[in-house]
Amino acid sequence: RVAIGNRTLIEEEGLSLDSETETVMRDCEERGHTAVIMVVDGKLCSVITISDPIKKDAASAVDLLKSWGIKVFLLTGDNIRTAAAIAKEANIPRERIFAGVLPKQKVSKIRALQAKYKQKVAMVGDGVNDSPALVQADVGIAIGTGTDVAIEAADIVLIKDSLFDVPVAIHLSRVTVQRIRINFVWALLYNVLGIPIAGGILKPWGFTFKPFVAAAAMMCSSLCVVISSLCLKFYKKPADVQSAEAKLRDKLISLKRVAERSLDKLKRNNYKKSGDELEGREFILRSLSSDSEFEV
């Protein structure tokens, strides 16, 4: 009989972890890895670590949202040590981490945030486990590369696999609502002034609208609202989003150049005699500062 799972499963199996295994798991979790235990016939067999690195733009997107006064929380099924390591990379405060959360518990966490802050709560997710929380949130945002269930449950679907689109979607929604209000005020003022004139309020002073002129004026009102709405086609990302994207792009390009130079130096200094053995091989270099990977 083979059992694979986390600490909870091991407890259900009636087993306990020795200090060495606990130390190994703790070290892995503090690096942001999920530790999975394999038990065969009631005996601890191995510890498997699973790593799902965060997106390269996660930290920048989180910083951008915080600069707009938006509180960012992390909901994850991982334990607190793994969640804390991931939150540190994403610049999310430790006190805003909800770790070890099951899918049903994510719904209750969203409800708790809605009740506590009395504000709109948005949920960003891409997995099946995120679907209930996406439905419960005031605004559910799904990553386009996520599961079909999450996409169906979300209110907004981000086509690109970029977290920068989250602040862009928020800003675009605000611009759209602002445009709706402008159109409403314009149409209201236009009709408040135009209808009495068309009704003959200025007739004692010799000024009237003929029926076809009033009809044309009404058409112009609708035309102005439509043209105002079409101005959204010229929407551009906020300047701070464009700046953050440019900084991240320059950083990744710089890191890739460093990785390529390091590989060239490695070939020249350490493998002069066996340079032919490196031809045709692929190398993956990881940056310690950003945890990014590059193939060269």
Side-chain angles (χ1 to χ4, degrees):
R1 184 172 180 271
V2 178
I4 301 176
N6 55 16
R7 288 182 174 83
T8 303
L9 178 63
I10 299 305
E11 293 175 358
E12 293 175 355
E13 292 291 320
L15 300 176
S16 59
L17 300 177
D18 54 49
S19 59
E20 183 180 357
T21 303
E22 186 68 36
T23 301
V24 172
M25 294 182 64
R26 186 184 300 109
D27 292 340
C28 294
E29 291 166 352
E30 289 176 351
R31 293 197 299 268
H33 299 172
T34 300
V36 179
I37 306 167
M38 177 184 291
V39 177
V40 179
D41 294 331
K43 295 182 180 180
L44 177 64
C45 179
S46 63
V47 176
I48 305 171
T49 61
I50 303 172
S51 175
D52 186 14
I54 66 172
K55 298 181 182 296
K56 296 180 177 66
D57 54 358
S60 300
V62 169
D63 290 339
L64 197 58
L65 291 172
K66 290 194 295 185
S67 69
W68 290 1
I70 298 175
K71 299 179 179 65
V72 181
F73 294 81
L74 174 64
L75 276 72
T76 177
D78 292 323
N79 61 75
I80 185 60
R81 280 191 290 268
T82 303
I86 295 173
K88 184 178 180 181
E89 294 183 41
N91 296 335
I92 298 176
R94 190 181 181 89
E95 61 272 14
R96 293 182 181 172
I97 300 174
F98 297 112
V101 182
L102 299 177
K104 292 182 179 179
Q105 294 174 332
K106 289 184 178 181
V107 175
S108 62
K109 294 296 183 183
I110 295 294
R111 289 175 179 168
L113 291 174
Q114 291 170 329
K116 179 178 180 180
Y117 292 99
K118 305 297 183 182
Q119 294 177 342
K120 301 296 182 182
V121 176
M123 169 71 182
V124 182
D126 61 356
V128 176
N129 294 338
D130 298 323
S131 301
L134 289 172
V135 175
Q136 175 61 38
D138 297 291
V139 181
I141 304 176
I143 306 297
T145 56
T147 61
D148 293 338
V149 176
I151 292 175
E152 288 294 330
D155 302 299
I156 300 174
V157 179
L158 305 180
I159 303 302
K160 298 180 181 178
D161 188 22
S162 173
L163 291 180
F164 278 121
D165 287 342
V166 174
V168 170
I170 294 174
H171 183 264
L172 177 58
S173 66
R174 291 174 176 174
V175 171
T176 303
V177 171
Q178 183 182 20
R179 181 62 58 177
I180 292 173
R181 290 171 178 168
I182 292 174
N183 291 342
F184 179 78
V185 172
W186 161 254
L188 180 64
L189 293 177
Y190 192 95
N191 285 279
V192 166
L193 295 176
I195 291 176
I197 295 175
I201 193 173
L202 299 180
K203 188 175 181 180
W205 293 273
F207 185 83
T208 59
F209 271 173
K210 294 184 179 181
F212 72 90
V213 176
M218 192 64 201
M219 182 189 68
C220 289
S221 172
S222 301
L223 186 62
C224 291
V225 171
V226 171
I227 293 175
S228 175
S229 300
L230 289 176
C231 289
L232 290 173
K233 292 178 66 67
F234 302 100
Y235 170 82
K236 292 183 179 180
K237 296 180 181 180
D240 49 358
V241 174
Q242 296 184 31
S243 176
E245 287 181 327
K247 289 180 180 178
L248 179 62
R249 184 167 54 250
D250 294 341
K251 180 180 179 181
L252 294 177
I253 292 174
S254 176
L255 289 173
K256 186 173 183 178
R257 289 174 179 172
V258 171
E260 291 174 347
R261 287 197 297 266
S262 299
L263 181 60
D264 291 339
K265 185 177 180 180
L266 179 67
K267 287 182 178 180
R268 289 195 306 268
N269 297 341
N270 298 335
Y271 294 94
K272 290 183 179 179
K273 295 182 180 181
S274 57
D276 295 339
E277 298 179 2
L278 298 177
E279 295 298 329
R281 294 188 180 181
E282 289 186 355
F283 294 85
I284 298 180
L285 301 183
R286 179 180 290 272
S287 169
L288 296 178
S289 59
S290 66
D291 202 28
S292 301
E293 292 184 352
F294 304 95
E295 288 189 7
V296 290

